[in-house]
Amino acid sequence: MDVQLILNELYETGALESHMRNLKPLTGGTSSKVVVVMDGTKPRYVIKQNDPAVVEAEAEFLHTYVQIEKLSSLVYVDPLHRYLVYTFRSGFTQYHGRNKSDLLLRLATEVISHYKPCGEERHYGYPDHPFVEWRDFLLHRTKESGKIIQGVLPRENHWFVHTLVAELPQRNIKYLLHGD
């Protein structure tokens, strides 16, 4: 969908102020088309377009965890789930020269520790590819990941990871997670 059409919809709904017309494309996303809405020289909002199932899932994640301060705030979700708008959060994506253990500790304490269990009716995995059992989801992901990194690790390492996953005890508590 053309981003100018999206902007017009956002102005009409009152989700964005009409003086915010400058856009800056963001790169590095997996499958989404992402632009930043500028308020003068300051990035203010992000418009993210993707498949409706993905947009709906991301909106549900941000809505579910609205109390987590480190996450962006959901501003608007297109009724047809073609795009969503959330507040811009500055940060970095490259970890060169940074302490990853500090980053992982902060991620665990400031984000993951605030996750809430979901109801039993939820499935594991992705909205468009659900699994009834956690182990089945992990085995599927292990197989798919193995295709991507097959030349990086020896075959025995792939088999070792597969064996570990296959022997995992069954889990009964489900959490809504974000794929990124």
Side-chain angles (χ1 to χ4, degrees):
M1 182 174 183
D2 181 61
V3 73
Q4 289 303 320
L5 293 174
I6 293 173
L7 282 176
N8 291 338
E9 286 183 15
L10 294 169
Y11 299 143
E12 288 174 18
T13 63
L16 290 184
E17 298 89 25
S18 61
H19 72 277
M20 292 186 209
R21 298 202 175 272
N22 292 335
L23 302 174
K24 179 181 173 186
L26 289 179
T27 59
T30 50
S31 62
S32 299
K33 181 179 177 185
V34 184
V35 296
V36 174
V37 180
M38 304 295 288
D39 188 356
T41 59
K42 180 182 174 192
R44 181 99 179 261
Y45 299 110
V46 174
I47 300 173
K48 189 172 191 177
Q49 298 178 70
N50 206 326
D51 177 76
V54 173
V55 169
E56 186 175 12
E58 290 192 20
E60 180 184 10
F61 178 83
L62 290 174
H63 177 74
T64 299
Y65 297 120
V66 68
Q67 83 285 357
I68 300 177
E69 293 178 16
K70 290 292 180 185
L71 298 178
S72 295
S73 299
L74 189 60
V75 174
Y76 181 81
V77 182
D78 172 57
L80 299 176
H81 298 107
R82 298 169 294 180
Y83 64 90
L84 58 95
V85 180
Y86 53 87
T87 55
F88 177 84
R89 306 264 323 183
S90 62
F92 56 90
T93 57
Q94 302 298 319
Y95 307 114
H96 306 294
R98 300 186 198 281
N99 188 331
K100 285 187 182 182
S101 62
D102 288 344
L103 175 70
L104 292 172
L105 179 61
R106 286 185 28 233
L107 177 65
T109 57
E110 297 175 15
V111 179
I112 297 171
S113 68
H114 297 285
Y115 283 2
K116 303 178 228 174
C118 297
E120 283 299 312
E121 70 282 355
R122 299 292 302 229
H123 286 87
Y124 295 104
Y126 304 104
D128 60 341
H129 196 175
F131 291 83
V132 174
E133 301 292 335
W134 175 243
R135 184 182 303 114
D136 293 340
F137 168 67
L138 290 179
L139 286 169
H140 171 75
R141 291 303 305 143
T142 301
K143 181 179 175 185
E144 293 300 309
S145 298
K147 291 176 188 175
I148 297 168
I149 62 168
Q150 62 186 345
V152 177
L153 298 174
R155 189 173 201 71
E156 346 24 286
N157 289 24
H158 291 284
W159 182 247
F160 176 70
V161 171
H162 174 83
T163 304
L164 287 177
V165 171
E167 293 174 357
L168 280 173
Q170 199 51 34
R171 305 223 185 261
N172 295 321
I173 301 173
K174 300 174 186 176
Y175 293 89
L176 182 61
L177 306 176
H178 191 288
D180 291 341

